[in-house]
Amino acid sequence: MQSILQFPGKIIFGENTIDQLGENVVEYGNKCLLVTGQKSTRQSGALQRAVESLKEKGIESLCFSKVKGEPDCAIVDEVRALAEKEKVDFLIALGGGSALDTAKAAAGLIGQDLPTVDYLNKAPFEYKGIPFIAIPPTSGTGSEITLNSVLYNPVTGNKKSIAHPCFQARFSIVDPTLTYSMSPELTAITGMDALTHVVESYTSLKANEVTKVLALKAIKIITVNLVETVKNKNNIEGRKMMAWGSMIAGMAFAQTGVGVAHSISHPLGALFQIPHGLACAILLPVVIDYNSQVCMEKYQEIVDELGYKGEFSAYLRKMIKQLPLPQTLTEAGYKEGQEEQIVTATFDTRSIKNNPRMVEEKDVRAILEKCV
Ligand SMILES: [Fe+2]
C-alpha cells in the first residue's frame, strides 16, 4: 500500500494575513481575476482589503462577483471565458466553498476546449491551467486545501466532484478575522461541515498515520470550540480555533476523501437546497451508528481523545442539539418521494468508495429514514 500526501504550495495562517496577499502572489504575474460571492466579502471589507493589497504590488485585479450557493458548470464556463478573454495570469477565490470551488475548477480548466460539464462527466484532459489562490472567509469547506471542486449539474440534477492533482491551490491565506462577520447559523453549518470532513477522514479506507493524527487533532479543536463560538459571535479565540480546525481538517481529508454522509448530502443539496454542512450535521450521527459495526475501535479512540465516557454518536447528538439548526431533514426542507434519485446520486460520488463499511442501496434508504 502507498500513501501520497499533497498539500498546497504555501498556506499562511493568522489574523490580518489577507493584507499580505499582494506580496505573496507577485510571482504569479501582474493581472488576476478575483472570484467572489455577491455581497458578503464586499460588506465585510475583505474584498477591498484584497484589492488594495494587490494594488500595492502593482497587480491589476478584475472582479467576478456573481457566484451563488450550489455553483454549476455554467458559472465555471463563464469564469473560464472571462479569464481567457482578459488573459489573466492567475485566479484568486475569496469566498465560501461556492466561490472557491468555482474558481478552482475554472483555473484548472483554462485552455481546455470542452464545456465544464464534460469534465464533470469524466472527459479526460491534460492540465494547462493557471495558478489558483484561495482565501476562505468561512471555517468549514477545506476547499483551500483540497484537490476537488464540487459542482451542480442541472442536466442530471446532481452535485458531483471534479478533481485533478493540479487543481490544488498554489497558495492559501487562512485569516480568522475574515470569519468574524459570520452569523451563528453559518458558523454552525460550516463548522459541522468541517467536523464531518475529519470524522469521515479518520475512518476512511484511505486513512494513514499522518491523516489520522491530523484528523484527531481537528476533531478535538472543532468539538471543543464550535458551540461556544456559535453562542458568542465575538469569541475571537474560538473563531481562530475554528479556522485552525477547519484548515487541519482540510489537510486530512484532502488525502483520504470523505464518506457516505458526504455522498448523501450532495443530492440533498441539489434537490432541496439543504445547505451542505447542515445536511452533514443531520446525517453524521446516523452514519456513525451505521459504520460503528466496522470501526468501533476508531470511534473509541475519538471519545478517549475527547475525554467522553459514552458513544461518539451520543456525544455528537448532544452537541448538535445546542446549535441553532434544524435537527431533521424534514425541518431542513426535505420532501419524501425522491428517494430513488437520492440513492442513485449517492452511488455516483467518489466519497462512497472511501466509506469504511460497504454501503448498499437499502442502507442509504435506512440512513435517510432515520434522518427525516
Ligand atoms: Fe463537506
Side-chain angles (χ1 to χ4, degrees):
M1 187 197 124
Q2 66 167 15
S3 299
I4 299 172
L5 298 166
Q6 189 175 340
F7 302 104
K10 179 158 73 171
I11 306 166
I12 296 188
F13 182 96
E15 278 96 352
N16 300 312
T17 48
I18 191 170
D19 300 325
Q20 296 169 27
L21 174 62
E23 65 201 78
N24 280 286
V25 296
V26 78
E27 66 187 280
Y28 301 122
N30 55 21
K31 187 172 181 183
C32 72
L33 180 60
L34 258 163
V35 177
T36 187
Q38 296 177 307
K39 272 195 293 201
S40 61
T41 58
R42 214 173 282 271
Q43 281 170 350
S44 70
L47 182 61
Q48 292 85 329
R49 286 172 78 181
V51 169
E52 202 48 49
S53 177
L54 292 165
K55 213 193 246 167
E56 272 172 24
K57 291 292 165 188
I59 300 167
E60 182 189 351
S61 58
L62 308 171
C63 190
F64 181 93
S65 55
K66 291 199 277 182
V67 182
K68 291 190 228 163
E70 310 292 356
D72 60 14
C73 295
I75 199 142
V76 177
D77 287 337
E78 225 181 299
V79 175
R80 281 171 62 189
L82 181 61
E84 286 180 3
K85 181 173 149 249
E86 294 290 342
K87 297 191 172 42
V88 299
D89 301 310
F90 58 99
L91 251 73
I92 300 174
L94 173 63
S98 301
L100 266 63
D101 282 3
T102 300
K104 187 190 293 181
L109 292 173
I110 282 187
Q112 305 300 332
D113 299 327
L114 300 174
T116 302
V117 67
D118 290 7
Y119 301 109
L120 192 67
N121 289 328
K122 300 193 173 65
F125 66 96
E126 198 180 315
Y127 176 81
K128 299 176 194 162
I130 59 175
F132 160 63
I133 319 299
I135 313 174
T138 61
S139 298
T141 71
S143 187
E144 72 278 15
I145 313 282
T146 60
L147 314 171
N148 66 306
S149 162
V150 180
L151 299 173
Y152 176 65
N153 180 352
V155 178
T156 58
N158 192 16
K159 279 164 71 178
K160 263 174 79 170
S161 166
I162 173 170
H164 190 284
C166 299
F167 275 17
Q168 200 161 34
R170 206 66 69 87
F171 164 59
S172 296
I173 288 181
V174 180
D175 179 348
T177 66
L178 304 184
T179 71
Y180 291 176
S181 53
M182 275 200 294
S183 68
E185 290 77 15
L186 189 58
T187 306
I189 287 172
T190 51
M192 281 309 301
D193 186 20
L195 183 58
T196 309
H197 291 151
V198 260
V199 172
E200 296 207 293
S201 171
Y202 195 69
T203 56
S204 165
L205 294 176
K206 288 196 201 147
N208 61 47
E209 291 311 308
V210 175
T211 64
K212 279 171 66 187
V213 170
L214 292 168
L216 204 54
K217 182 76 186 166
I219 290 169
K220 183 144 191 194
I221 292 175
I222 296 166
T223 50
V224 165
N225 289 283
L226 180 58
V227 173
E228 286 312 310
T229 309
V230 168
K231 280 186 185 160
N232 177 7
K233 198 174 180 298
N234 302 319
N235 180 347
I236 301 297
E237 183 61 18
R239 293 273 186 215
K240 184 179 90 183
M241 294 314 290
M242 286 304 298
W244 265 125
S246 169
M247 187 190 78
I248 299 169
M251 290 176 161
F253 90 92
Q255 327 299 326
T256 60
V258 276
V260 72
H262 267 78
S263 304
I264 302 176
S265 76
H266 292 322
L268 295 176
L271 291 168
F272 309 108
Q273 291 72 53
I274 300 177
H276 170 65
L278 173 58
C280 287
I282 297 167
L283 287 160
L284 186 62
V286 178
V287 166
I288 289 172
D289 286 340
Y290 174 78
N291 284 339
S292 59
Q293 205 180 80
V294 299
C295 41
M296 196 51 119
E297 215 174 289
K298 283 191 170 170
Y299 292 140
Q300 188 60 46
E301 286 163 6
I302 294 175
V303 288
D304 287 348
E305 179 72 17
L306 301 177
Y308 180 72
K309 304 263 175 266
E311 289 187 358
F312 185 40
S313 59
Y315 175 94
L316 282 181
R317 284 190 171 95
K318 214 185 282 179
M319 192 188 99
I320 294 165
K321 274 210 178 88
Q322 298 177 67
L323 300 174
L325 298 178
Q327 300 286 317
T328 66
L329 289 180
T330 309
E331 285 173 37
Y334 175 87
K335 302 263 181 308
E336 285 184 15
Q338 302 201 62
E339 291 77 3
E340 286 319 300
Q341 203 175 334
I342 296 171
V343 169
T344 307
T346 296
F347 283 88
D348 193 24
T349 59
R350 294 163 200 268
S351 310
I352 202 156
K353 298 187 187 81
N354 307 318
N355 198 70
R357 184 176 166 194
M358 172 90 117
V359 183
E360 294 180 31
E361 291 190 0
K362 66 172 173 40
D363 303 320
V364 175
R365 283 192 204 96
I367 290 170
L368 269 178
E369 266 168 37
K370 290 187 179 137
C371 295
V372 292

